[in-house]
Amino acid sequence: MAVSIAGLTNTHFSGLAADRLDHSKAIHEKSVTIFINGTVAADSIDMFTANGTGVLRKFKAAITTTIATGSDRTVTVDLHLGNAGSAFATVLSSTIGFTNGTVLRTPANGAFSNSAFVANDILRCVITVAGTLLAQAVDMVGTLIYSENPTTT
């Protein structure tokens, strides 16, 4: 039985081991998620180390249980990239910010100023908090989606 999809024939889908698409021929899209359980406090969380070259696709975060109640309370989320040759520095054009006016469980997206990475780069989520009035936010989730080119190492 021949397979035909938009002019393609079964020679494109032979099923032979030599013809199969393996991990070294495909761009890998991955995601990494971090969770802060409890009061959101200042922290730096290493998210991943790159195996090859790639592109950052999306970075988003949300407060999930209680938004900050004090008018001066803020949570700022940033994404930094660093490696043996360079110190950690932001890859966002602006940080993600949460205040007492933020809508609970509404993800906010970061915009990339630099979305490219290379092998051995490390991506780190940096969380800062400020303010003294009333209570800080409780529980946070952050997700980074990226595409990485195949590598044999």
Side-chain angles (χ1 to χ4, degrees), residues 3 10 15 28 51 90 92:
V3 176
N10 63 348
H28 305 270
N51 291 316
T90 188
L92 298 180

Side-chain angles (χ1 to χ4, degrees), residues 6 14 22 60 67 91 95 100 124 128 135 137 141 144 152-153:
S14 69
D22 68 19
K60 60 185 176 178
I67 207 67
V91 294
T95 57
N100 66 329
R124 173 181 284 177
T128 56
V141 61
L144 172 65
T152 57
T153 59

Side-chain angles (χ1 to χ4, degrees), residues 17-88:
D19 294 336
R20 292 188 187 137
L21 185 64
D22 68 19
H23 78 283
S24 68
K25 298 175 184 173
I27 295 174
H28 305 270
E29 185 154 301
K30 303 175 185 179
S31 66
V32 178
T33 301
I34 59 164
F35 303 94
I36 306 296
N37 295 313
T39 300
V40 179
D43 205 351
S44 292
I45 303 166
D46 293 338
M47 298 185 78
F48 83 95
T49 302
N51 291 316
T53 59
V55 177
L56 304 171
R57 299 287 180 201
K58 182 175 272 198
F59 181 60
K60 60 185 176 178
I63 304 298
T64 59
T65 299
T66 306
I67 207 67
T69 56
S71 60
D72 68 339
R73 294 281 189 169
T74 61
V75 174
T76 304
V77 184
D78 201 354
L79 185 65
H80 288 193
L81 181 145
N83 56 43
S86 65
F88 282 99

Side-chain angles (χ1 to χ4, degrees), residues 94-117:
S94 63
T95 57
I96 298 171
F98 300 104
T99 66
N100 66 329
T102 300
V103 177
L104 186 65
R105 291 185 294 279
T106 302
N109 294 311
F112 295 109
S113 58
N114 173 24
S115 63
F117 62 85

